[in-house]
Amino acid sequence: MELNQLTIHELQEKIKNGAVSAGQITESVFQRIDKVEKRVHSYIRLLKDEALAAAEKADNDIKKGNIKPLTGIPVALKDIVCTKGITTTCGSHILHNFVPPYNATVVERLSDAGAVFVGKANMDEFAMGSSTETSYFGPTYNPWDLTRIPGGSSGGSATAVAADECIASIGSDTGGSIRQPAALCGVVGMKPTYGRVSRFGLIAFASSLDQIGPFTKDVEDCAIMMNVLAGYDPRESTSVQAAVPDYRQFAGRDIKGWKIGIPREYFIEGINPEVEAAVKKAIALLEKQGAECINISLPHTEYCLAVYYIIAPAEASSNLARFDGVKYGLRAAAARDLLDMYKKTRTQGFGNEVKRRIMIGTYALSAGYYDAYYKKASQVRALIKRDFDEALKKCDVILTPTTPTPAFKIGEKTDNPLQMYLSDLFTISTNLAGIPGISVPCGFTAGGLPIGMQFLAGHFAEDKLIQIASAYERTAGMEKRRPQL
Ligand code: GLN
């Protein structure tokens, strides 16, 4: 195995006993990038010089015995988190030249923990999409089949981990953008509880739904990343002051006597039969480990998509009002006056999907329609959240497929936004309820595409997600298949 293929915990062992240096690990990651990046396109920007300098610093720390949780570990950042002095585009033309004057809190936390930043990962423009095809910088390709999409919007972060172009990465999840690409690329992805990880320095899409979380090669690594990312931040008003357990402790514990809720609304007609079969096989395996699976119902599931596609665009239309050519990024040339400058900048700077969301959102919030759309959607959202509260009284965790289908073909859904929106059918409810979720690989299709399933738990119960996902992973015996690139 090459160094770039190893997990955080495997590399930590090697660093601790002096078998490898941070420099060697970083070199091995960039060698891999040289080999495959042209075909996969995980990154908008690579940070090779910065990474080599950070690795050198890590090696000095190691020599002094100062080893932190991520010392010398190459990590990719979705290009939606602000990096001081480093262009942060959000996948958009309008921010193609935006250089933030400060770091996002997660960037500071990772850096304080010793991480080495490899690059800024590709994404759907402003995180709006499920395929990474709306990026101004061109699509990312699924490493398991380069004619297919990697999922989105954090497609670059998912492929960078799956193709071993980094060891772990950061994404953001507003309606599934971590879990869906994790499932389609065969890696682990967690969306933490709303309030668990600071969003200070995250370019906002839909503020009542956005969360930052990790992509990793296994569940133990997810726990290691969560130990670094989670915690209160006085600079972020929705950040919660709740104790952060050592998540790593929960990896490897058994799940005897656990109750797993299987919601009937998630095993619907139209779900791909290979996805359904893989998840059912996983259910049987969990039962063998002493868990009991019970049928539950989340009766308002059918409204999730409609509610999300009112609330998310409404909040986006308001958040994106700040991009007008005055303060950030692109400014259109040859404007007649201020209004013309706004119009030209936004016309040139935003892509079609972003414009569609701004128009839907502005309409939903406009005078006379607010009650009928945004307010109504918020009321139904409360019912969706209550479904989860009720269900989680009867079980420890909920298990569902992460996506209705495996990765689809590039271009297959670009002309049909509704079809595209349906790929988030199973992930959106989690964000509406504010609860945490994790997607873990649970098999492959006959054609060799990864399949993922997700566990959901109550607010701040990420520890339970780590425990059950790792219990599954350890006995699933899923061979460590790797994409052939
Ligand atoms: N695919 C969903 C959307 O386009 C979710 C995106 C996300 O989670 N950022 O809104």
Side-chain angles (χ1 to χ4, degrees), residues 265-479:
E265 292 81 0
Y266 284 66
F267 291 83
I268 42 162
E269 228 177 280
I271 175 173
N272 175 290
E274 287 184 285
V275 171
E276 184 167 5
V279 176
K280 294 231 157 112
K281 206 168 137 200
I283 291 175
L285 204 70
L286 289 159
E287 282 176 330
K288 260 207 199 129
Q289 292 183 51
E292 184 194 343
C293 291
I294 59 168
N295 291 320
I296 57 162
S297 172
L298 299 163
H300 295 91
T301 299
E302 63 174 304
Y303 303 110
C304 287
L305 213 57
V307 166
Y308 175 85
Y309 278 100
I310 296 291
I311 291 178
E315 294 181 9
S317 75
S318 155
N319 275 325
L320 269 54
R322 75 192 70 176
F323 304 112
D324 56 10
V326 174
K327 198 163 175 179
Y328 308 101
L330 179 80
R331 177 179 297 182
R336 283 188 309 277
D337 53 28
L338 183 64
L339 193 62
D340 193 43
M341 193 278 283
Y342 289 160
K343 277 191 194 158
K344 285 207 166 94
T345 299
R346 287 168 71 83
T347 302
Q348 292 168 17
F350 290 133
N352 288 343
E353 183 60 29
V354 175
K355 285 178 183 156
R356 181 179 295 124
R357 307 270 180 125
I358 292 174
M359 287 190 281
I360 294 172
T362 307
Y363 180 81
L365 289 176
S366 54
Y369 292 109
Y370 178 87
D371 283 356
Y373 294 109
Y374 191 77
K375 191 171 161 211
K376 182 64 88 192
S378 302
Q379 288 165 333
V380 180
R381 179 181 184 175
L383 298 176
I384 293 165
K385 180 177 173 297
R386 197 192 295 162
D387 283 354
F388 281 98
D389 292 343
E390 290 303 317
L392 286 162
K393 282 181 192 158
K394 301 185 198 104
C395 55
D396 295 281
V397 292
I398 293 170
L399 172 56
T400 82
T402 310
T403 60
T405 67
F408 45 91
K409 291 274 187 188
I410 301 248
E412 192 180 321
K413 302 192 179 180
T414 34
D415 294 333
N416 189 339
L418 204 59
Q419 274 302 316
M420 187 71 88
Y421 297 171
L422 282 169
S423 24
D424 304 309
L425 199 56
F426 299 154
T427 46
I428 275 175
S429 54
T430 318
N431 303 71
L432 291 170
I435 58 175
I438 190 171
S439 178
V440 280
C442 70
F444 289 90
T445 65
L449 297 174
I451 298 170
M453 63 177 177
Q454 70 174 343
F455 294 104
L456 309 174
H459 293 93
F460 298 100
E462 284 84 358
D463 49 354
K464 283 191 177 171
L465 297 181
I466 297 286
Q467 186 165 340
I468 191 156
S470 111
Y472 170 74
E473 184 186 65
R474 280 167 199 229
T475 48
M478 289 226 333
E479 72 274 53

Side-chain angles (χ1 to χ4, degrees), residues 78 127-130 152-153 172-177 205 308-309 357 424:
K78 185 178 183 178
M128 296 171 190
S130 310
S153 62
S172 65
D173 190 315
T174 303
S177 279
F205 163 10
Y308 175 85
Y309 278 100
R357 307 270 180 125
D424 304 309

Side-chain angles (χ1 to χ4, degrees), residues 153-217:
S153 62
S154 316
S157 304
T159 55
V161 173
D164 298 309
E165 296 181 283
C166 66
I167 307 302
S169 66
I170 291 296
S172 65
D173 190 315
T174 303
S177 279
I178 293 175
R179 291 159 289 149
Q180 186 253 18
L184 302 190
C185 291
V187 298
V188 174
M190 177 184 272
K191 180 206 96 76
T193 308
Y194 188 75
R196 177 86 290 188
V197 175
S198 168
R199 298 148 338 140
F200 178 81
L202 172 76
I203 298 173
F205 163 10
S207 305
S208 76
L209 301 160
D210 298 338
Q211 250 300 294
I212 295 175
F215 287 91
T216 53
K217 298 184 194 201

